Amino acid sequence: MPYPEIRPRRLRRTAALRRLVSETRLDPAELVVPMFVKEGLTEPRAIGSLPGVLQHSRDSLRKAAAEAVQAGVGGIMLFGVPTTRDERGSGGIDPDGILNVAIRDVVAEVGDDTVVMSDLCLDEFTSHGHCGLLTPDGAVDNDATLAAYAEMAVAQAAAGVAMVGPSGMMDGQVGVVRRALDAAGHTDVAVLAYAVKYASAFFGPFRDAVESALDGDRRTYQQDPANLRESLREVELDVAEGADLVMVKPALPYLDVVSAVRAAVDVPVAAYQVSGEYATVEAAAANGWIDREQVMMETLTSIRRAGAQIILTYWAVEAARLLRQRYCWLLYTSDAADAKAR
């Protein structure tokens, strides 16, 4: 056999070489941690299908937000879990509703040390569990829902949020939210558009986390998992309506979509590593079938490699701490080597 003159393995021989030529790097500042706060709790409560994730009380949420900032995460995405719901999801608009109160709490705790974001959707607040208002025959009313989103956006901005995340997949939601924010004087509040959100089976544990009342599915407004070109159209529309960032959700089953969206737009692209992705890894690791830490970092790296500049993940704080520990270790070993050489 001819002698191999080209040997790519030369650059894989040591950890230092692999680190030197690494094409994709994770940074804590690119990670966003979703957090849930439940009205009326005095102590945080575990979520059975999301090991390690909590429904927070207001006090524990403030503490968790401070810990996330200390870990170096780039943002916190807040979700509210009310004690009562109605058909119109009025708790999401109420200035004293749990989500708006939580925004004020977290902003008071961490200020501008991280980006405080909030989910802008009615599903956590409606008695039927859908992301919008319903017509008498039970269909989701797109345009009536837009009016509710506009009110919700202004309420969240008044509470102090830096970025709203309209996630209901209503046609025109970004434009309506942008105009409502601007008309109310909140021109600096950014819009993270859930531009590509599939009707996915990976959302199951999230629905446990928010105690969703949904009976049925959301296939009439969330996207068909078979479609890619439709996603690019959704993204184009959201950017035209004023989205500051766009997001793909879920992440891992749709890395091709993340890559295509990244190639199509100039605004920052985010991806949401959703509850089912997280829970699948946690369950396999609990059974000893995989190396949890390595799989965690491998999945995050794959999302980053696909083109997502920002990653929403339930591992954000843990991953940020691990990345900072590795960086500090590299500085330590480099300093030690320099001292030895001297």
Side-chain angles (χ1 to χ4, degrees), residues 170-188:
M170 298 295 120
D171 293 338
Q173 64 184 15
V174 171
V176 164
V177 165
R178 182 70 272 161
R179 289 193 294 274
L181 290 171
D182 291 351
H186 300 295
T187 56
D188 290 337

Side-chain angles (χ1 to χ4, degrees), residues 106-158:
V106 172
V107 170
E109 185 70 32
V110 303
D112 292 328
D113 291 341
T114 194
V115 181
V116 180
M117 312 174 185
S118 53
D119 180 59
L120 201 168
C121 195
L122 294 176
D123 60 321
E124 296 107 285
F125 301 96
T126 54
S127 54
H128 46 72
H130 277 289
C131 297
L133 306 182
L134 302 185
T135 63
D137 64 358
V140 175
D141 187 329
N142 190 94
D143 294 1
T145 300
L146 294 183
Y149 284 2
E151 290 186 70
M152 195 172 184
V154 172
Q156 292 180 358

Side-chain angles (χ1 to χ4, degrees), residues 259-321:
S259 181
V261 170
R262 174 65 285 165
V265 300
D266 293 326
V267 299
V269 174
Y272 196 145
Q273 187 181 48
V274 301
S275 59
E277 299 172 57
Y278 170 92
T280 299
V281 173
E282 290 288 343
N287 280 283
W289 297 336
I290 58 174
D291 183 311
R292 177 182 175 278
E293 186 176 290
Q294 287 195 34
V295 171
M296 173 181 72
M297 301 308 289
E298 186 176 339
T299 62
L300 294 173
T301 301
S302 74
I303 298 166
R304 185 69 181 87
R305 187 184 65 245
Q309 180 180 338
I310 299 159
I311 304 172
L312 278 72
T313 174
Y314 298 97
W315 284 312
V317 174
E318 181 180 357
R321 286 172 177 158

Side-chain angles (χ1 to χ4, degrees), residues 25-242:
R25 301 182 193 278
L26 289 170
D27 189 279
E30 298 169 338
L31 303 178
V32 175
V33 57
M35 291 187 179
F36 304 97
V37 57
K38 179 173 171 59
E39 187 175 14
L41 284 187
T42 56
E43 298 290 338
R45 178 184 296 170
I47 302 167
S49 57
L50 280 174
V53 181
L54 303 171
Q55 285 183 332
H56 283 287
S57 67
R58 289 178 61 187
D59 286 341
S60 71
L61 177 68
R62 287 191 288 265
K63 181 180 179 182
E67 291 173 350
V69 169
Q70 188 175 29
V73 301
I76 299 170
M77 175 63 80
L78 296 173
F79 297 87
V81 185
T83 54
T84 60
R85 296 173 164 90
D86 59 31
E87 289 190 356
R88 302 192 61 81
S90 55
I93 298 168
D94 183 356
D96 294 320
I98 184 58
L99 181 54
N100 293 320
V101 168
I103 292 169
R104 292 197 293 270
D105 286 344
V106 172
V107 170
E109 185 70 32
V110 303
D112 292 328
D113 291 341
T114 194
V115 181
V116 180
M117 312 174 185
S118 53
D119 180 59
L120 201 168
C121 195
L122 294 176
D123 60 321
E124 296 107 285
F125 301 96
T126 54
S127 54
H128 46 72
H130 277 289
C131 297
L133 306 182
L134 302 185
T135 63
D137 64 358
V140 175
D141 187 329
N142 190 94
D143 294 1
T145 300
L146 294 183
Y149 284 2
E151 290 186 70
M152 195 172 184
V154 172
Q156 292 180 358
V161 80
M163 186 179 294
V164 295
S167 63
M169 291 299 289
M170 298 295 120
D171 293 338
Q173 64 184 15
V174 171
V176 164
V177 165
R178 182 70 272 161
R179 289 193 294 274
L181 290 171
D182 291 351
H186 300 295
T187 56
D188 290 337
V189 174
V191 177
L192 166 61
Y194 285 60
V196 181
K197 185 176 181 181
Y198 287 95
S200 173
F202 282 91
F203 296 153
F206 174 89
R207 293 175 184 170
D208 292 339
V210 298
E211 301 176 8
S212 174
L214 181 67
D215 180 16
D217 60 54
R218 298 175 177 143
R219 295 180 186 275
T220 63
Y221 47 101
Q222 294 178 352
Q223 285 183 244
D224 183 343
N227 294 353
L228 169 59
R229 291 192 301 272
E230 181 185 32
S231 296
L232 299 181
R233 186 182 184 206
E234 290 278 8
V235 166
E236 181 182 8
L237 289 168
D238 281 357
V239 172
E241 290 175 21

